[in-house]
Amino acid sequence: MGGCFSDVRGGKQAVGVGLTGPSLPPMPTTDAALNDAVDHFFRSRGLHPQFTQLELSLSGSNLRDRDIISKSDPMVVAYTKKRDGTLEELGRTEVIMNSLDPAWIEKITVAYHFEIVQPLIFHVYDVDTKYYNLPVKTLKLNDQEFLGEGSCVLSEIVTKQGQSLTLDLHNRNGSRGLKNLGKLTVHAEETVASRNAIEVIFHCSHLDNKDLFSKSDPFLRISRIVENGGSVPICKTEVVDNNLNPIWRPLCLTMQQFVSKDNPLVIECFDFNTSGNHVLIGKLQKSVAELEKLHKQKTGASFILPSSAQHGHEKVLKGQLFVDQFCEKQLYSFIDYVSSGFEFNFMVAVDFTASNGNPRTPDSLHYIDSSGRFNAYQQAIMEVGEVIQFYDSDRRFPAWGFGGRTIDGTVSHCFNLNGSANGVEVEGVQGIMAAYASALNHVALAGPTLFGQVINNAAEITRQSLSYNSRKYFVLLIITDGVLTDLQETKDALVRASDLPLSILIVGVGGADFKQMEILDADNGCRLESSTGRVATRDIVQFVPMREVCAGGQTSVVQALLEELPGQFLTYMRSRDIKPSAVNITQTSASYAAI
């Protein structure tokens, strides 16, 4: 979801094109920018945050060139500085290849609190070419070359005329030294609370050829003109190789990007070069309303080419831009669905394999302390339970164990946690806790660790519900110590389940190596593939290591658990064109506006 490495395969992928098919705009993932699910969770407890959501656009000029043969490939990482002096990451831009004057498209989302001083730190890195195929959020910053740091207070940007602030970059120790490290410009805009979006398909004809031995490799970059007369890039299409009459994939622009149908947009067509020196083929300026008119009239708009040799006169080109498709859409939010009667049903599975250690010894992850102190599994159930039961309408959980030897002497990879042969459901978080404690007295830890059967059972419950209720979405919580035996079988089960209204949250407990869990999470940008070669329809897995989130208090636990759920939920609903109730949406909007 948001934060994906945008310049994969030499910068040829689209950036900022919004919701085309199952893709989603980036979800804010920090305390400073809560997503819908987290915001809703805290509001329900009477905590109404008083802040304004902002988007920061970043551009650089005269950056340091750290590459020998080519230019630097810069990326920005934005942080907010906490009161204790530690840095909390807000987000990362995409990587712009071979550019010392980049204008990044990916935005940084931040919540602006009028009454709080909010220091911001921006680190600019030159990303090594060997990391081009990785999502930016997975990049280890120590492996990249540091280009410079800029800092300011958020209110400095907001109060500046035009809401743009240019920072001098300096070294990490604060010294500027003798060498100019370049500048970073930050432009802030308030986010637009609107569901309106447009989906368009562009094609061009008779573009000028800029290549000597082949045809141009064109792509479009779209920018919006802002109040101070400058422009902010909002998206770029993918590159179409060797084609003077290209047709691009559909792109979806939200009102946050284009602001209004009358706001002018600058559309530039470039010939892509791997050196980063993309050659301008032509440009034009049209509003969204004018693009709609081009579509209705089935006419093209001619590109122009500024010519300094003719003292500013513009040359009208033969190449034209056409709008093959133009449609307005409503992009409903997570809250729209939840508030209009869509239900979340949660299921739980607990790891009973021997790798957890003997439950009778204090070093076991399953050890029940007589003093009442929670073990790792109890802590995970309680921490996770408060969050997930909030979104479960009846708070009755199907609860399983796996990898244990049950009372009949057989090893089961999916047994009812409550020990009942008649029903798998337990009542609330306390019901899970009681069933878990009881199971430890009747189930011997065994193995191997197999997720496949649990996932298949959860998928079957989900599949059956579709026959009578399309307004339910299921979440399977798996709590495990991280040593997985059936990796490929689990991948097969996840790929099959990716067509269903189901998400799988894996919580890792203990200090084990969770590399296998991270593979299942598919945050490396590659969707899971089954043994038959079928690729998952969407990413349905989120992995959370409990040892990392518990240290940060309730907010970080809630944030980590709900980080990807809204995006996965919306991806499913939008891909199947399932809409929430219009009446409830109106009421929800009014109630939130009142707050």
Side-chain angles (χ1 to χ4, degrees):
M1 320 219 36
C4 269
F5 193 92
S6 304
D7 278 346
V8 175
R9 293 193 296 276
K12 291 192 173 185
Q13 285 195 339
V15 184
V17 296
L19 277 146
T20 52
S23 62
L24 279 159
M27 288 279 183
T29 58
T30 70
D31 294 349
L34 302 176
N35 69 31
D36 272 352
V38 178
D39 188 30
H40 188 48
F41 178 81
F42 285 120
R43 283 178 187 273
S44 71
R45 281 153 174 72
L47 302 173
H48 305 310
Q50 301 295 320
F51 60 78
T52 301
Q53 201 87 329
L54 301 177
E55 275 194 352
L56 305 182
S57 300
L58 302 169
S59 60
S61 60
N62 197 28
L63 300 182
R64 293 171 71 187
D65 191 358
R66 299 298 296 268
D67 292 350
I68 299 174
I69 301 175
S70 59
K71 297 176 182 175
S72 293
D73 306 315
M75 169 189 76
V76 179
V77 183
Y79 302 90
T80 182
K81 182 183 283 188
K82 293 184 173 183
R83 289 181 178 178
D84 62 2
T86 60
L87 299 183
E88 179 183 11
E89 185 171 323
L90 292 173
R92 304 181 181 191
T93 67
E94 77 276 19
V95 176
I96 303 269
M97 293 184 60
N98 296 310
S99 178
L100 303 182
D101 302 287
W104 291 277
I105 293 173
E106 294 286 358
K107 313 303 180 193
I108 305 295
T109 306
V110 60
Y112 168 54
H113 297 262
F114 173 79
E115 74 285 4
I116 299 175
V117 175
Q118 295 172 267
L120 299 179
I121 309 292
F122 301 94
H123 287 176
V124 185
Y125 291 91
D126 175 21
V127 175
D128 194 284
T129 53
K130 65 184 177 184
Y131 299 107
Y132 281 179
N133 290 314
L134 295 176
V136 291
K137 78 175 188 176
T138 67
L139 294 179
K140 295 181 179 179
L141 299 180
N142 289 337
D143 295 336
Q144 320 307 325
E145 288 197 80
F146 183 75
L147 296 181
E149 173 186 297
S151 60
C152 65
V153 174
L154 182 56
S155 57
E156 288 183 78
I157 308 170
V158 174
T159 56
K160 193 83 170 175
Q161 185 173 5
Q163 294 191 313
S164 289
L165 181 67
T166 299
L167 309 173
D168 289 323
L169 297 177
H170 51 78
N171 291 316
R172 272 199 180 96
N173 58 13
S175 66
R176 284 167 174 77
L178 298 175
K179 190 169 183 179
N180 179 16
L181 302 186
K183 297 180 183 294
L184 183 73
T185 298
V186 188
H187 176 72
E189 290 182 305
E190 186 174 344
T191 58
V192 178
S194 173
R195 300 178 183 87
N196 296 333
I198 59 165
E199 185 172 274
V200 293
I201 296 178
F202 289 119
H203 94 261
C204 288
S205 67
H206 304 103
L207 294 178
D208 284 357
N209 190 15
K210 300 294 184 179
D211 290 348
L212 187 59
F213 299 109
S214 62
K215 297 176 182 176
S216 294
D217 308 309
F219 69 92
L220 299 178
R221 184 176 70 181
I222 302 177
S223 304
R224 171 170 43 82
I225 295 178
V226 293
E227 291 179 2
N228 62 10
S231 62
V232 172
I234 58 175
C235 73
K236 76 177 181 75
T237 66
E238 75 281 5
V239 174
V240 178
D241 290 330
N242 199 34
N243 198 323
L244 301 181
N245 300 284
I247 302 175
W248 288 279
R249 297 190 191 105
L251 62 88
C252 185
L253 298 178
T254 65
M255 185 168 276
Q256 176 65 39
Q257 292 173 294
F258 64 80
V259 178
S260 79
K261 294 183 73 172
D262 297 321
N263 201 85
L265 302 176
V266 177
I267 303 176
E268 299 166 292
C269 185
F270 289 94
D271 174 29
F272 176 86
N273 285 310
T274 53
S275 66
N277 295 320
H278 310 309
V279 179
L280 180 66
I281 297 175
K283 63 189 292 187
L284 55 85
Q285 184 172 305
K286 294 288 179 187
S287 66
V288 168
E290 290 170 325
L291 292 175
E292 184 178 19
K293 188 175 180 181
L294 288 179
H295 172 66
K296 288 179 178 178
Q297 296 178 346
K298 297 184 177 179
T299 56
S302 296
F303 284 107
I304 60 171
L305 191 64
S307 175
S308 57
Q310 298 179 26
H311 306 291
H313 292 286
E314 297 171 333
K315 179 182 178 182
V316 179
L317 304 174
K318 186 178 180 182
Q320 289 190 312
L321 176 76
F322 293 84
V323 182
D324 292 349
Q325 175 182 304
F326 184 101
C327 61
E328 298 186 51
K329 349 176 79 178
Q330 294 282 302
L331 300 182
Y332 300 106
S333 72
F334 178 80
I335 301 301
D336 290 335
Y337 287 94
V338 170
S339 301
S340 63
F342 280 75
E343 298 179 10
F344 280 79
N345 292 81
F346 286 84
M347 302 170 276
V348 181
V350 178
D351 186 340
F352 276 75
T353 57
S355 56
N356 287 281
N358 186 343
R360 294 178 178 82
T361 62
D363 59 347
S364 169
L365 294 172
H366 281 306
Y367 178 71
I368 302 291
D369 194 323
S370 58
S371 69
R373 182 181 178 182
F374 287 159
N375 67 28
Y377 281 85
Q378 290 172 311
Q379 183 183 7
I381 290 169
M382 289 301 294
E383 292 278 7
V384 175
E386 182 186 1
V387 178
I388 64 176
Q389 74 174 1
F390 170 74
Y391 284 99
D392 193 309
S393 54
D394 62 7
R395 300 192 178 184
R396 293 187 61 83
F397 301 93
W400 299 290
F402 59 91
R405 191 178 306 278
T406 56
I407 199 165
D408 63 1
T410 61
V411 175
S412 173
H413 300 296
C414 187
F415 58 89
N416 293 351
L417 197 62
N418 60 9
S420 170
N422 300 320
V424 68
E425 290 185 338
V426 297
E427 189 79 38
V429 176
Q430 290 304 324
I432 301 174
M433 292 287 278
Y436 164 70
S438 176
L440 284 175
N441 293 324
H442 303 100
V443 178
L445 303 192
T449 307
L450 307 177
F451 284 2
Q453 193 171 335
V454 166
I455 294 171
N456 288 336
N457 278 15
E460 183 56 32
I461 291 175
T462 305
R463 192 176 290 108
Q464 290 175 4
S465 78
L466 283 175
S467 61
Y468 60 87
N469 191 343
S470 63
R471 297 168 70 86
K472 283 180 177 286
Y473 192 88
F474 292 80
V475 177
L476 169 63
L477 167 66
I478 300 175
I479 310 177
T480 180
D481 72 340
V483 184
L484 183 61
T485 307
D486 64 336
L487 182 60
Q488 188 56 58
E489 290 82 355
T490 298
K491 285 183 180 179
D492 291 346
L494 291 172
V495 170
R496 287 192 298 270
S498 66
D499 288 326
L500 298 170
L502 173 67
S503 286
I504 297 174
L505 171 62
I506 302 174
V507 174
V509 295
D513 183 351
F514 290 122
K515 285 182 180 177
Q516 290 176 317
M517 303 300 112
E518 291 165 357
I519 291 171
L520 299 180
D521 199 341
D523 276 348
N524 61 358
C526 300
R527 291 184 184 172
L528 294 178
E529 186 173 328
S530 73
S531 54
T532 61
R534 182 188 168 194
V535 177
T537 311
R538 61 194 179 94
D539 176 21
I540 65 170
V541 177
Q542 181 184 2
F543 169 66
V544 177
M546 205 67 190
R547 63 179 180 236
E548 293 182 15
V549 296
C550 282
Q554 186 197 37
T555 300
S556 65
V557 173
V558 172
Q559 192 77 56
L561 294 173
L562 299 183
E563 178 180 351
E564 296 180 20
L565 180 59
Q568 293 177 359
F569 171 82
L570 290 173
T571 298
Y572 178 82
M573 294 300 167
R574 289 169 176 170
S575 66
R576 282 154 180 77
D577 201 28
I578 300 173
K579 296 183 174 66
S581 164
V583 174
N584 282 298
I585 290 173
T586 304
Q587 293 172 346
T588 303
S589 299
S591 63
Y592 266 67
I595 293 172

